[in-house]
Amino acid sequence: MSVSMRQEADTGFVEIDNPPVNAIGHAVREGLLKAVKWAEEAKLARVIVTGKGRAFAAGADAREFDSAPKEPHLPDVLNAIDESPVPWIAAIDGVALGGGAEIAMACRMRIISPKSQIGLPEVTLGVLPGAGGTQRLPRLVGLARALDIITTGKPLTAQKALEAGLVHQVADDPMQAALGTGAEALQRIVPTWTLPAPDADEGAFEAARKAVAKKQANQTAPLKVIELIRDTLAEPFHQALLAERTAFLELRNGAQSKALRHMFFAERAAKAPAWLTAEPVSLKHVAVVGGGTMGAGIAYALLNAGLTVTILETDAQGAERAIANVEKIISASLKRGLINDARAADHRSRFAASSDYSTAADATLAIEAAYESMEVKVDVIGKLEAALPKDAILATNTSYLDINEIAAAASDPARVVGLHFFAPAHIMKLLEIVRGDHSSDTSLATGFALAKLLRKIPVLAGVCDGFIGNRILARYREAADTVLMDGATPWDVDKAMVGFGYAMGPYEAQDLSGLDIAHANRRRQDATRDANRRYIPIADRMVELGRLGKKTGAGWYLYPETGGKAEDAAVAELAVAAAKSAGLTRTAYSQQEIERRLVLAMINEAADILDEGIAQSAADIDLVTVSGYGFPRWRGGLMHYADSLGAGNIVEALEGLALEDAVAWKVSPLLKRCAENGGLLADYVPTR
Ligand code: 3H9
């Protein structure tokens, strides 16, 4: 049943019942329209509409957005509610989002429970409110507030919604409060659609445009909604709705909305694969080895999820440093209002740091986040094996090292698994779960269970240099370094990638993480590097000069004490000198060409990663690139973007580049196969 109706005396009770979150699909729309007619025919005094379960309604069913719209359309259903002689009350207990909030706004009255949220997050799916939200919300909360709510997509708490005038009442039991509202009181409230629209205020539009340019550059929906509201504010309500509908459908069918919907559903589909039926170990006490930035971030994430955490360090001084690092995160979270004093005290009560491994003797999981050296990792695994229970899972947070080699140091390699967090570990959503040759299903299942507990996005990866994300990153940087050597500057490259949609380009990002990290990696790879592969020495020269990035005040950019970053002609000269000593003639690259090369390099590598079975699906690579590496979400992730370009076009472009350098641009066999048979990367299931 999608919508149920029940009458008691002169009150109608309408319940939306479409688990798990009451998405408003075709059957719900039909049910609501039927309910309007039913209430009118029964001449009821009022209707109280609620949602069954944990949501009032989560909005239009976004799964229907790929097919042609089917009548009755939601705007028509909501007009019927708003214009009905029988007044409707929305009793909201749970989220009322998108179309769910629009149902509520079409009701005469809105009562909400304190823990509920209400909002219009449509822009996060690349669309705009398409069932009257762009017209009813400004009438209820004023223009500036409405623009803010709709363009940011951020839901309001019950209290904020009350203050804004979006709801009439906050009540612990909205149903009881609704029952207590008499017909007379209801009749005094006018239907939302009859409220006057606010006056046009150019200042409010300009402020909204500026905010969008700052935070949502390149995204079409937020700007479109501002212009839509501006164009329709003075129009009659129903005429404005027609314009809203046209704009909604246009966005819904556009590439950005498809990409954002793909990400929305990919994130929700990210869970343990069906074949992984093993039970995870029970998680209560977790040991984290190493209390540096990464270890402290992991420890805080674990504390936040209610676990007991012991950081294991090499000596007492290290333990003190670890405590200070975790304390820093607790204080920052307190300051930002993310936790309160009681929660902070609770975190502290479950946290300890020590150099004595026996203090973690009952931990069922250890996450090693020590220094990135095989020798160190092997030593740590030995110590953990000696101190922890025989069946504890031993996870390594290594970014690049061979997990099979680390596991070989354990007497039972089945207990060893990779859990690759991203810094800052308490904020970044991605968790690569790396499956070693001998990792047991229990180890993997524990990784997935942990991700769920930490509310992270888990992606299963196989063992190779860099797993999924860092392996793609290596090719991205290689392509960047190559254009740098052959004719560009770091800021040309960064501007091109910011233009593509990254928050920052590869050189600024490297300045933040430190050039010494990538340098150490290159030294590690020296012994195995393909001798035929071009090696660009500029980054090594930077390290020799002590330009390690922001932390040393100079990297690819200069970081003056007064703040900000500045381009440095000396770096551009370094590239010119490197090219000269290699006997190269440099050429100018357009931003478009830089972007093309860097993106193609990533796609080519990612296709190999998929083909080799290192990633289980193209969607997993999309999750990694968006959640861990800043690939623009509105492009749907690297592989979704690749599919939008078409394998045939990609292969043609790569073959062109291979004429310059056949090693670096060797075309991925998977891309060739897709080009030949017209297949999509999204549909490819690796067999290895
Ligand atoms: C809109 O309303 C347009 C209108 O203005 C105009 C129309 C004409 N559709 O997130 P969860 C599924 S646009 C389809 O894990 P939570 C989700 O995929 C819409 N499915 O739970 C998952 O499925 P599965 C504007 C949806 O408790 C399951 O429900 N609305 C939708 O962590 C549970 O979801 C939004 O943008 C949907 N709209 O969070 C709100 N929503 O079990 C989007 C959820 O198969 N939704 N599902 O994996 C959310 O933000 C969160 O899902 C919510 C619950 C906060 C509701």
mmCIF file of all heavy atoms in Angstrom, residues 20-21 23 54 58-63 65 74-75 95 97-100 102 121-122 124-125 127-131 245 248 264-265 268-269 271 455, ligand 1:
data_model
loop_
_atom_site.group_PDB
_atom_site.id
_atom_site.type_symbol
_atom_site.label_atom_id
_atom_site.label_comp_id
_atom_site.label_asym_id
_atom_site.label_seq_id
_atom_site.Cartn_x
_atom_site.Cartn_y
_atom_site.Cartn_z
ATOM 1 N N PRO A 20 11.642 2.412 2.137
ATOM 2 C CA PRO A 20 11.984 2.740 3.525
ATOM 3 C C PRO A 20 11.814 4.217 3.894
ATOM 4 O O PRO A 20 11.752 4.532 5.069
ATOM 5 C CB PRO A 20 13.475 2.369 3.599
ATOM 6 C CG PRO A 20 13.982 2.586 2.201
ATOM 7 C CD PRO A 20 12.837 2.268 1.283
ATOM 8 N N VAL A 21 11.723 5.111 2.884
ATOM 9 C CA VAL A 21 11.730 6.542 3.247
ATOM 10 C C VAL A 21 10.567 7.312 2.612
ATOM 11 O O VAL A 21 10.584 8.535 2.532
ATOM 12 C CB VAL A 21 13.084 7.204 2.866
ATOM 13 C CG1 VAL A 21 14.206 6.683 3.739
ATOM 14 C CG2 VAL A 21 13.417 7.021 1.391
ATOM 15 N N ALA A 23 9.535 7.570 -0.504
ATOM 16 C CA ALA A 23 9.801 8.314 -1.744
ATOM 17 C C ALA A 23 8.486 8.418 -2.502
ATOM 18 O O ALA A 23 7.661 7.493 -2.494
ATOM 19 C CB ALA A 23 10.851 7.579 -2.569
ATOM 20 N N ARG A 54 10.226 6.030 9.333
ATOM 21 C CA ARG A 54 11.174 7.037 9.773
ATOM 22 C C ARG A 54 11.149 8.341 9.002
ATOM 23 O O ARG A 54 11.856 9.289 9.357
ATOM 24 C CB ARG A 54 12.584 6.461 9.783
ATOM 25 C CG ARG A 54 13.166 6.139 8.415
ATOM 26 C CD ARG A 54 14.500 5.433 8.640
ATOM 27 N NE ARG A 54 15.449 5.601 7.583
ATOM 28 C CZ ARG A 54 15.772 4.641 6.720
ATOM 29 N NH1 ARG A 54 15.178 3.472 6.785
ATOM 30 N NH2 ARG A 54 16.680 4.847 5.797
ATOM 31 N N ALA A 58 10.712 11.440 1.612
ATOM 32 C CA ALA A 58 12.084 11.843 1.248
ATOM 33 C C ALA A 58 12.151 12.562 -0.088
ATOM 34 O O ALA A 58 13.226 12.837 -0.581
ATOM 35 C CB ALA A 58 12.985 10.618 1.213
ATOM 36 N N GLY A 59 10.985 12.850 -0.676
ATOM 37 C CA GLY A 59 10.991 13.557 -1.958
ATOM 38 C C GLY A 59 10.560 12.651 -3.077
ATOM 39 O O GLY A 59 10.242 11.476 -2.872
ATOM 40 N N ALA A 60 10.554 13.239 -4.284
ATOM 41 C CA ALA A 60 10.161 12.461 -5.458
ATOM 42 C C ALA A 60 11.056 11.239 -5.562
ATOM 43 O O ALA A 60 12.218 11.280 -5.160
ATOM 44 C CB ALA A 60 10.310 13.327 -6.704
ATOM 45 N N ASP A 61 10.517 10.147 -6.074
ATOM 46 C CA ASP A 61 11.315 8.934 -6.244
ATOM 47 C C ASP A 61 12.303 9.163 -7.393
ATOM 48 O O ASP A 61 11.934 9.126 -8.568
ATOM 49 C CB ASP A 61 10.395 7.744 -6.557
ATOM 50 C CG ASP A 61 11.162 6.432 -6.580
ATOM 51 O OD1 ASP A 61 12.407 6.488 -6.725
ATOM 52 O OD2 ASP A 61 10.534 5.372 -6.446
ATOM 53 N N ALA A 62 13.555 9.393 -7.030
ATOM 54 C CA ALA A 62 14.564 9.751 -8.040
ATOM 55 C C ALA A 62 14.841 8.603 -9.003
ATOM 56 O O ALA A 62 15.416 8.804 -10.065
ATOM 57 C CB ALA A 62 15.844 10.206 -7.353
ATOM 58 N N ARG A 63 14.411 7.382 -8.646
ATOM 59 C CA ARG A 63 14.613 6.259 -9.575
ATOM 60 C C ARG A 63 13.710 6.402 -10.792
ATOM 61 O O ARG A 63 13.955 5.799 -11.833
ATOM 62 C CB ARG A 63 14.313 4.928 -8.875
ATOM 63 C CG ARG A 63 15.377 4.576 -7.847
ATOM 64 C CD ARG A 63 15.146 3.189 -7.280
ATOM 65 N NE ARG A 63 15.795 3.066 -6.005
ATOM 66 C CZ ARG A 63 17.070 2.712 -5.835
ATOM 67 N NH1 ARG A 63 17.815 2.459 -6.879
ATOM 68 N NH2 ARG A 63 17.595 2.632 -4.639
ATOM 69 N N PHE A 65 13.340 9.134 -12.384
ATOM 70 C CA PHE A 65 13.785 10.258 -13.212
ATOM 71 C C PHE A 65 14.388 9.832 -14.555
ATOM 72 O O PHE A 65 14.592 10.663 -15.425
ATOM 73 C CB PHE A 65 14.816 11.122 -12.460
ATOM 74 C CG PHE A 65 14.235 11.968 -11.348
ATOM 75 C CD1 PHE A 65 12.914 11.846 -10.955
ATOM 76 C CD2 PHE A 65 15.033 12.900 -10.695
ATOM 77 C CE1 PHE A 65 12.392 12.612 -9.923
ATOM 78 C CE2 PHE A 65 14.522 13.683 -9.671
ATOM 79 C CZ PHE A 65 13.198 13.530 -9.281
ATOM 80 N N LEU A 74 3.314 15.437 -9.744
ATOM 81 C CA LEU A 74 3.265 15.921 -8.360
ATOM 82 C C LEU A 74 2.741 17.369 -8.238
ATOM 83 O O LEU A 74 1.941 17.657 -7.332
ATOM 84 C CB LEU A 74 4.639 15.764 -7.693
ATOM 85 C CG LEU A 74 4.648 15.941 -6.174
ATOM 86 C CD1 LEU A 74 3.712 14.964 -5.472
ATOM 87 C CD2 LEU A 74 6.072 15.777 -5.608
ATOM 88 N N PRO A 75 3.146 18.285 -9.124
ATOM 89 C CA PRO A 75 2.614 19.650 -8.977
ATOM 90 C C PRO A 75 1.085 19.679 -9.009
ATOM 91 O O PRO A 75 0.450 20.428 -8.252
ATOM 92 C CB PRO A 75 3.193 20.409 -10.173
ATOM 93 C CG PRO A 75 4.286 19.564 -10.712
ATOM 94 C CD PRO A 75 4.102 18.175 -10.227
ATOM 95 N N VAL A 95 12.020 12.951 8.277
ATOM 96 C CA VAL A 95 12.433 13.958 7.289
ATOM 97 C C VAL A 95 11.313 14.287 6.304
ATOM 98 O O VAL A 95 10.568 13.411 5.881
ATOM 99 C CB VAL A 95 13.681 13.510 6.490
ATOM 100 C CG1 VAL A 95 14.942 13.612 7.312
ATOM 101 C CG2 VAL A 95 13.504 12.115 5.921
ATOM 102 N N LEU A 97 11.606 16.015 2.859
ATOM 103 C CA LEU A 97 12.602 16.572 1.944
ATOM 104 C C LEU A 97 12.049 16.656 0.524
ATOM 105 O O LEU A 97 11.239 15.818 0.107
ATOM 106 C CB LEU A 97 13.856 15.699 1.935
ATOM 107 C CG LEU A 97 14.620 15.604 3.266
ATOM 108 C CD1 LEU A 97 15.791 14.635 3.152
ATOM 109 C CD2 LEU A 97 15.111 16.973 3.714
ATOM 110 N N GLY A 98 12.542 17.640 -0.219
ATOM 111 C CA GLY A 98 12.147 17.769 -1.615
ATOM 112 C C GLY A 98 10.637 17.765 -1.753
ATOM 113 O O GLY A 98 9.927 18.535 -1.086
ATOM 114 N N GLY A 99 10.138 16.832 -2.597
ATOM 115 C CA GLY A 99 8.690 16.718 -2.779
ATOM 116 C C GLY A 99 7.953 16.512 -1.466
ATOM 117 O O GLY A 99 6.786 16.895 -1.333
ATOM 118 N N GLY A 100 8.619 15.922 -0.465
ATOM 119 C CA GLY A 100 7.999 15.730 0.858
ATOM 120 C C GLY A 100 7.737 17.070 1.522
ATOM 121 O O GLY A 100 6.654 17.305 2.100
ATOM 122 N N GLU A 102 7.461 19.767 -0.136
ATOM 123 C CA GLU A 102 6.487 20.452 -1.010
ATOM 124 C C GLU A 102 5.056 20.006 -0.687
ATOM 125 O O GLU A 102 4.125 20.806 -0.757
ATOM 126 C CB GLU A 102 6.841 20.201 -2.478
ATOM 127 C CG GLU A 102 8.094 20.973 -2.887
ATOM 128 C CD GLU A 102 8.578 20.629 -4.282
ATOM 129 O OE1 GLU A 102 8.797 19.431 -4.533
ATOM 130 O OE2 GLU A 102 8.745 21.548 -5.102
ATOM 131 N N PRO A 121 16.405 19.648 -0.869
ATOM 132 C CA PRO A 121 17.772 19.315 -1.310
ATOM 133 C C PRO A 121 17.877 19.006 -2.809
ATOM 134 O O PRO A 121 18.849 18.396 -3.248
ATOM 135 C CB PRO A 121 18.077 18.066 -0.478
ATOM 136 C CG PRO A 121 16.758 17.412 -0.294
ATOM 137 C CD PRO A 121 15.708 18.495 -0.297
ATOM 138 N N GLU A 122 16.881 19.415 -3.600
ATOM 139 C CA GLU A 122 16.859 19.026 -5.015
ATOM 140 C C GLU A 122 18.163 19.341 -5.748
ATOM 141 O O GLU A 122 18.604 18.578 -6.604
ATOM 142 C CB GLU A 122 15.690 19.716 -5.745
ATOM 143 C CG GLU A 122 14.343 19.052 -5.533
ATOM 144 C CD GLU A 122 13.612 19.530 -4.275
ATOM 145 O OE1 GLU A 122 14.258 20.137 -3.398
ATOM 146 O OE2 GLU A 122 12.396 19.278 -4.172
ATOM 147 N N THR A 124 21.078 19.074 -4.879
ATOM 148 C CA THR A 124 22.113 18.048 -4.689
ATOM 149 C C THR A 124 21.904 16.883 -5.659
ATOM 150 O O THR A 124 22.792 16.080 -5.860
ATOM 151 C CB THR A 124 22.138 17.506 -3.236
ATOM 152 O OG1 THR A 124 20.882 16.887 -2.971
ATOM 153 C CG2 THR A 124 22.387 18.604 -2.223
ATOM 154 N N LEU A 125 20.720 16.804 -6.235
ATOM 155 C CA LEU A 125 20.476 15.813 -7.288
ATOM 156 C C LEU A 125 20.456 16.485 -8.664
ATOM 157 O O LEU A 125 20.002 15.909 -9.650
ATOM 158 C CB LEU A 125 19.144 15.087 -7.045
ATOM 159 C CG LEU A 125 19.060 14.206 -5.793
ATOM 160 C CD1 LEU A 125 17.677 13.586 -5.654
ATOM 161 C CD2 LEU A 125 20.109 13.099 -5.843
ATOM 162 N N VAL A 127 18.651 18.968 -9.740
ATOM 163 C CA VAL A 127 17.370 19.512 -10.211
ATOM 164 C C VAL A 127 16.954 20.667 -9.302
ATOM 165 O O VAL A 127 17.688 21.047 -8.388
ATOM 166 C CB VAL A 127 16.254 18.435 -10.253
ATOM 167 C CG1 VAL A 127 16.526 17.421 -11.345
ATOM 168 C CG2 VAL A 127 16.086 17.743 -8.909
ATOM 169 N N LEU A 128 15.780 21.221 -9.546
ATOM 170 C CA LEU A 128 15.249 22.241 -8.645
ATOM 171 C C LEU A 128 13.896 21.766 -8.145
ATOM 172 O O LEU A 128 13.310 20.839 -8.715
ATOM 173 C CB LEU A 128 15.183 23.610 -9.342
ATOM 174 C CG LEU A 128 14.540 23.741 -10.730
ATOM 175 C CD1 LEU A 128 13.030 23.663 -10.664
ATOM 176 C CD2 LEU A 128 14.947 25.068 -11.358
ATOM 177 N N PRO A 129 13.404 22.372 -7.062
ATOM 178 C CA PRO A 129 12.096 21.939 -6.559
ATOM 179 C C PRO A 129 11.069 22.091 -7.689
ATOM 180 O O PRO A 129 10.917 23.180 -8.240
ATOM 181 C CB PRO A 129 11.817 22.916 -5.410
ATOM 182 C CG PRO A 129 13.170 23.401 -4.996
ATOM 183 C CD PRO A 129 13.988 23.445 -6.253
ATOM 184 N N GLY A 130 10.404 20.989 -8.024
ATOM 185 C CA GLY A 130 9.561 21.009 -9.214
ATOM 186 C C GLY A 130 8.090 20.785 -8.917
ATOM 187 O O GLY A 130 7.303 20.505 -9.812
ATOM 188 N N ALA A 131 7.708 20.875 -7.662
ATOM 189 C CA ALA A 131 6.291 20.690 -7.330
ATOM 190 C C ALA A 131 5.811 21.874 -6.493
ATOM 191 O O ALA A 131 5.190 21.712 -5.450
ATOM 192 C CB ALA A 131 6.082 19.366 -6.613
ATOM 193 N N ARG A 245 8.012 23.828 -13.841
ATOM 194 C CA ARG A 245 7.951 22.466 -14.381
ATOM 195 C C ARG A 245 8.904 22.312 -15.573
ATOM 196 O O ARG A 245 9.643 21.329 -15.677
ATOM 197 C CB ARG A 245 6.504 22.166 -14.810
ATOM 198 C CG ARG A 245 6.279 20.804 -15.431
ATOM 199 C CD ARG A 245 6.185 19.729 -14.388
ATOM 200 N NE ARG A 245 6.019 18.399 -14.948
ATOM 201 C CZ ARG A 245 6.326 17.291 -14.315
ATOM 202 N NH1 ARG A 245 6.836 17.342 -13.092
ATOM 203 N NH2 ARG A 245 6.141 16.116 -14.860
ATOM 204 N N PHE A 248 12.420 22.286 -14.294
ATOM 205 C CA PHE A 248 12.691 21.032 -13.578
ATOM 206 C C PHE A 248 12.985 19.902 -14.572
ATOM 207 O O PHE A 248 13.976 19.178 -14.443
ATOM 208 C CB PHE A 248 11.489 20.667 -12.683
ATOM 209 C CG PHE A 248 11.557 19.278 -12.128
ATOM 210 C CD1 PHE A 248 12.393 18.974 -11.060
ATOM 211 C CD2 PHE A 248 10.798 18.248 -12.685
ATOM 212 C CE1 PHE A 248 12.476 17.675 -10.556
ATOM 213 C CE2 PHE A 248 10.871 16.951 -12.190
ATOM 214 C CZ PHE A 248 11.712 16.672 -11.123
ATOM 215 N N PHE A 264 24.517 9.597 -5.986
ATOM 216 C CA PHE A 264 23.611 9.364 -4.853
ATOM 217 C C PHE A 264 23.347 7.864 -4.678
ATOM 218 O O PHE A 264 23.491 7.311 -3.597
ATOM 219 C CB PHE A 264 22.291 10.122 -5.081
ATOM 220 C CG PHE A 264 21.255 9.896 -4.015
ATOM 221 C CD1 PHE A 264 21.268 10.645 -2.851
ATOM 222 C CD2 PHE A 264 20.269 8.925 -4.163
ATOM 223 C CE1 PHE A 264 20.321 10.429 -1.852
ATOM 224 C CE2 PHE A 264 19.311 8.709 -3.175
ATOM 225 C CZ PHE A 264 19.339 9.458 -2.022
ATOM 226 N N PHE A 265 23.006 7.204 -5.772
ATOM 227 C CA PHE A 265 22.672 5.781 -5.659
ATOM 228 C C PHE A 265 23.932 4.919 -5.484
ATOM 229 O O PHE A 265 23.890 3.904 -4.789
ATOM 230 C CB PHE A 265 21.827 5.322 -6.853
ATOM 231 C CG PHE A 265 20.418 5.877 -6.800
ATOM 232 C CD1 PHE A 265 19.947 6.768 -7.748
ATOM 233 C CD2 PHE A 265 19.568 5.522 -5.755
ATOM 234 C CE1 PHE A 265 18.657 7.287 -7.676
ATOM 235 C CE2 PHE A 265 18.269 6.037 -5.670
ATOM 236 C CZ PHE A 265 17.818 6.925 -6.633
ATOM 237 N N ARG A 268 24.844 4.826 -1.877
ATOM 238 C CA ARG A 268 23.973 3.962 -1.082
ATOM 239 C C ARG A 268 24.172 2.484 -1.401
ATOM 240 O O ARG A 268 23.883 1.627 -0.579
ATOM 241 C CB ARG A 268 22.519 4.401 -1.260
ATOM 242 C CG ARG A 268 22.241 5.531 -0.311
ATOM 243 C CD ARG A 268 21.299 6.572 -0.806
ATOM 244 N NE ARG A 268 21.295 7.662 0.153
ATOM 245 C CZ ARG A 268 22.100 8.720 0.088
ATOM 246 N NH1 ARG A 268 22.981 8.824 -0.894
ATOM 247 N NH2 ARG A 268 22.053 9.670 1.003
ATOM 248 N N ALA A 269 24.677 2.207 -2.602
ATOM 249 C CA ALA A 269 24.912 0.804 -2.968
ATOM 250 C C ALA A 269 26.264 0.314 -2.439
ATOM 251 O O ALA A 269 26.569 -0.878 -2.519
ATOM 252 C CB ALA A 269 24.869 0.652 -4.488
ATOM 253 N N LYS A 271 28.361 -1.196 -0.244
ATOM 254 C CA LYS A 271 28.320 -2.057 0.948
ATOM 255 C C LYS A 271 29.037 -3.361 0.640
ATOM 256 O O LYS A 271 29.525 -3.533 -0.486
ATOM 257 C CB LYS A 271 26.881 -2.278 1.430
ATOM 258 C CG LYS A 271 25.846 -2.535 0.341
ATOM 259 C CD LYS A 271 24.464 -2.712 0.919
ATOM 260 C CE LYS A 271 23.710 -1.394 1.057
ATOM 261 N NZ LYS A 271 22.383 -1.363 0.499
ATOM 262 N N ARG A 455 30.165 5.324 9.294
ATOM 263 C CA ARG A 455 29.401 5.990 8.230
ATOM 264 C C ARG A 455 30.309 6.435 7.088
ATOM 265 O O ARG A 455 30.219 7.557 6.589
ATOM 266 C CB ARG A 455 28.611 7.179 8.796
ATOM 267 C CG ARG A 455 27.677 6.771 9.918
ATOM 268 C CD ARG A 455 26.931 7.961 10.434
ATOM 269 N NE ARG A 455 25.904 8.360 9.475
ATOM 270 C CZ ARG A 455 24.625 8.061 9.580
ATOM 271 N NH1 ARG A 455 24.204 7.363 10.600
ATOM 272 N NH2 ARG A 455 23.770 8.462 8.682
HETATM 273 C C1 3H9 B 1 12.403 15.914 -5.619
HETATM 274 O O1 3H9 B 1 11.777 15.756 -4.608
HETATM 275 C C2 3H9 B 1 11.847 16.653 -6.807
HETATM 276 C C3 3H9 B 1 10.561 17.384 -6.527
HETATM 277 O O2 3H9 B 1 10.853 18.687 -6.040
HETATM 278 C C4 3H9 B 1 9.762 17.590 -7.773
HETATM 279 C C5 3H9 B 1 9.140 16.381 -8.388
HETATM 280 C C6 3H9 B 1 8.228 16.707 -9.530
HETATM 281 N N1 3H9 B 1 14.240 8.537 -4.337
HETATM 282 O O3 3H9 B 1 19.937 7.376 2.300
HETATM 283 P P1 3H9 B 1 19.419 6.102 2.832
HETATM 284 C C7 3H9 B 1 16.423 5.313 -1.004
HETATM 285 S S1 3H9 B 1 13.976 15.284 -5.846
HETATM 286 C C8 3H9 B 1 14.482 7.212 -4.446
HETATM 287 O O4 3H9 B 1 20.332 4.952 2.862
HETATM 288 P P2 3H9 B 1 19.080 7.368 5.402
HETATM 289 C C9 3H9 B 1 17.927 5.099 -0.993
HETATM 290 O O5 3H9 B 1 18.422 4.940 -2.297
HETATM 291 C C10 3H9 B 1 14.272 14.371 -4.335
HETATM 292 N N2 3H9 B 1 15.078 6.508 -3.476
HETATM 293 O O6 3H9 B 1 18.748 6.283 4.275
HETATM 294 C C11 3H9 B 1 18.049 3.847 -0.165
HETATM 295 O O7 3H9 B 1 17.732 2.756 -1.004
HETATM 296 P P3 3H9 B 1 18.408 1.317 -0.780
HETATM 297 C C12 3H9 B 1 14.690 15.280 -3.226
HETATM 298 C C13 3H9 B 1 15.449 7.142 -2.375
HETATM 299 O O8 3H9 B 1 18.176 7.083 6.503
HETATM 300 C C14 3H9 B 1 16.928 4.020 0.863
HETATM 301 O O9 3H9 B 1 16.014 4.958 0.295
HETATM 302 N N3 3H9 B 1 15.006 14.489 -2.064
HETATM 303 C C15 3H9 B 1 15.245 8.510 -2.214
HETATM 304 O O10 3H9 B 1 20.551 7.411 5.642
HETATM 305 C C16 3H9 B 1 17.401 4.556 2.192
HETATM 306 O O11 3H9 B 1 18.136 5.749 1.959
HETATM 307 C C17 3H9 B 1 16.265 14.179 -1.706
HETATM 308 O O12 3H9 B 1 17.217 14.586 -2.344
HETATM 309 C C18 3H9 B 1 14.602 9.220 -3.262
HETATM 310 N N4 3H9 B 1 14.328 10.538 -3.197
HETATM 311 O O13 3H9 B 1 18.715 8.756 4.746
HETATM 312 C C19 3H9 B 1 16.436 13.325 -0.486
HETATM 313 N N5 3H9 B 1 15.725 8.882 -1.008
HETATM 314 O O14 3H9 B 1 17.939 0.868 0.563
HETATM 315 C C20 3H9 B 1 17.309 12.149 -0.787
HETATM 316 C C21 3H9 B 1 16.212 7.768 -0.443
HETATM 317 O O15 3H9 B 1 17.898 0.507 -1.918
HETATM 318 N N6 3H9 B 1 17.388 11.204 0.295
HETATM 319 N N7 3H9 B 1 16.044 6.707 -1.268
HETATM 320 O O16 3H9 B 1 19.892 1.555 -0.846
HETATM 321 C C22 3H9 B 1 18.142 11.412 1.413
HETATM 322 O O17 3H9 B 1 18.713 12.452 1.600
HETATM 323 C C23 3H9 B 1 18.266 10.278 2.389
HETATM 324 O O18 3H9 B 1 17.990 9.090 1.687
HETATM 325 C C24 3H9 B 1 17.326 10.376 3.612
HETATM 326 C C25 3H9 B 1 17.403 9.049 4.413
HETATM 327 C C26 3H9 B 1 17.794 11.530 4.489
HETATM 328 C C27 3H9 B 1 15.917 10.576 3.171
#
